[in-house]
Amino acid sequence: MAMNRMTRRNLQFILGLALGITATLILTSYRQMTQSSVMVHLDSREHKSNQDALDLDEHAFHEMMEKNQNIPLVGGGEAKAVKFEDEHAHHDDDTAARDLAKKVRVLVWVMTGPQNLDKKAVHVRNTWGKRVNKLLFMSSQWNSTFPTIGLNVSEGREHLTAKTMQAFRYVYEKHFDEADWFMKADDDTYLIAENLRYMLSSYDTNQPIYFGHIFKVIVKPNGYASGGAGYILSKEALRRLATQGHNTSICRQDGGAEDVEVGKCMTGLGIKILPSVDRLGRSRFHCFDTETHLRGGYPKWYLSYDANGAKKGLDNISDYPITFHYINTAKMYALEYFVYHMRPFGIISKPQDLNLDLKH
Amino acid sequence: MPRFCLCYPQKEPTSMSILAECVSPGKAPHRFCVGFLMGMVVASLIAAPLIMNGDNYYRYRTEPVSHVGGVSRMAMQEESTERSAELWSERSVLDREPQDIRDPASDLDTADRHLHRDDNTVAQRLTEEVRVLVWVMTSPQTLQSRAKMIRDTWGKRTNKILFFSSKSDPDLPAIGLNVTEGRTHLMEKTNRAFRYIYDNHMDDADWFMKVDDDTYVIMENLRYLLSGENSSEPLFLGHHFHLRYRSRGAGTMKYLHYQSGGAGYVISKEALRRFGEKGRDEKLCRQTHGAEDIGFGQCMINLGVRISNSTDVLGRSRFHCFPPGHFTGGRYPSWYHAYDANGARKGVQSMSDYAVTFHYIRPSEMQTLDYLIYHLRPYGVLHALQNLNREHNTTSLPAGHSEVFAQP
């Protein structure tokens, strides 16, 4: 009898506690909901639930910006697609660029997945994707509308090597004659195709060579190319990879880090990685975004990885850069704006002679 | 009422009787009541921070009727966590140490050793024909980091640049205005700075611009814009804001026009002359307190200075009160839709190719902008000069006395 009473009392207590918590939480969230409904009233456009910083009024917004808490230079996170429709006003003379596009044909395949088509891959297609000779999206699933190619892999970091090997083989089998150079890029890489062609114009695609942002560790003797910064294979390199790359004693078919494994595979097949810096020793492929390379906020591992001394600043990035990495959606459109639209009035930039002098 | 109160099995307890039992003196507190009260306390402690943030709402200036104000939830969960996960998971083979990103803006080498082979003829000519003096509003705390970076980046492209702070600094150099620091003294600071320029530098330029020390200016594009205007006319250009307010007398809704302070604004020689001659009149120009950009804007309007449309011929903005990512990303804070006089365009390229200013630019980002605008280029594309100025660049806005001025 005494036990029963004790248990009943405890039960009452627990019940009371639970109801107390529930009631209070309901009351507070009601308050939150009514306040945010006031916000929605002002602006009838669709808002994501996580408005946060954008919900601040001007003064509070200013305070937040002064503390540099959130919105960086080029914004972050989700962004809406931007349509640039002012080419008619440009009057640019792009003869040299168009000539190069005919002589140095570049096929780029973009590593993506079904979950990233609308978040990332579409922005690639809207921006720099338009400037390569051929653009392919590699995924684990076929999608005829986007379109993407479905490789026989599962999604996930553990299978990037398989995805890469299969992607290159697919390109060799189906598109070998359509291009002179074959590039892998991520869906958060930004590529400036004109500058890529300019660099490649100095080289012979029948040599077994490849280019990228060189990391000098792990793969001996010459290092390997960073995956995120993108890397590009010559015709001969692709031919060897596709026809001899099945050999598992030379090339790992899956697992490991994709760029390291591809690097080991290249070395095993006799394909050389060549420097991609310009004549002034400045980098062209970049495994981070513009600001990181200028400001130098590098993670510590990069200091020992980078073959070019992990330099930073205005003097160490080429005027003809080829790629940047970790470019989110907003940054992609911002880069598009700065590279192809925004310009200082009255300054006509002439072509610079920045390729390496290969004769000496 | 469910039968959960088991202490009194004899009668059916009602809610009132339970409460009565809770509060009636002399009896030991009901277990249930104790539990309930404790539950409320615990939940309040959890929920209190959420409520507190929700009430962080600041009534700014003359509260415009159409602007309800914001509910702030401070930390935007950016993709920073996603991004660092990406950064590190890519390198699955070796150990990595955590990122240590400081902002070593002061260590940056900004010496420009490049020879671009650019053809600068047109830009050079404009520099001589359209002279612009820029004054930068800075402070002792931000002098080293921000003002210095301006001096070393876009400041080099002005005809003349002056830095104004509350205390003078011979190193930068900065002129001391002898005012107290802080947002409440910005009006005074602005007035004093313009007065100093009127007294000492009137002949050094045709146009006079005010910016903050986190504003980035593309001088060539500013001169291009101003080349279509006449500096002998009383003109005022910037990122045009209008505030709706209820007129005190008639009770009707009116618009208060001014230029955003952060985006930078520029006045003609004639406008500066009028300010110099009549700007001390308290009936026309507020001398101290209040928002600097609204106050100065009203002063200009009361002196008969006209606001000129600074958008380009395709209707795109040139002065920007935000960094570029806001416009390309298409996400504005809600107050912006009410303030922006050009309809807060986004989506279909809202920024001009000849943009003039961006605001909220950190020192290291100024270097990035320098790189993107003056160095990075696509090989083989020769940019031609575009015709982006409007035919008739002046919007007529009613000049004359503004009644909102009277409120501090």
Side-chain angles (χ1 to χ4, degrees), chain A residues 320-337:
Chain A
Y320 289 156
I322 294 175
T323 58
F324 292 101
H325 185 221
Y326 296 120
I327 304 298
N328 63 28
T329 310
K331 280 182 189 166
M332 209 160 272
Y333 290 107
L335 272 175
E336 184 80 2
Y337 172 72

Side-chain angles (χ1 to χ4, degrees), chain A residues 56-58 195 301 337 345, chain B residues 58 61 72 88 221 352 379:
Chain A
L56 301 175
D57 70 17
E58 195 196 3
N195 294 342
W301 60 261
Y337 172 72
F345 181 83
Chain B
Y58 179 86
R61 303 188 281 226
S72 80
W88 301 115
N221 294 343
S352 178
Y379 178 83

Side-chain angles (χ1 to χ4, degrees), chain B residues 226-247:
Chain B
L226 297 176
S227 68
E229 305 277 6
N230 185 349
S231 64
S232 322
E233 288 181 24
L235 295 171
F236 182 31
L237 295 101
H239 186 155
H240 186 181
F241 276 177
H242 58 197
L243 224 53
R244 251 168 34 127
Y245 69 97
R246 197 174 295 284
S247 164

Side-chain angles (χ1 to χ4, degrees), chain B residues 276-289:
Chain B
E277 290 172 3
K278 304 212 191 93
R280 285 203 163 109
D281 184 346
E282 303 241 350
K283 292 195 290 294
L284 295 172
C285 296
R286 194 194 308 151
Q287 300 300 305
T288 59
H289 296 98

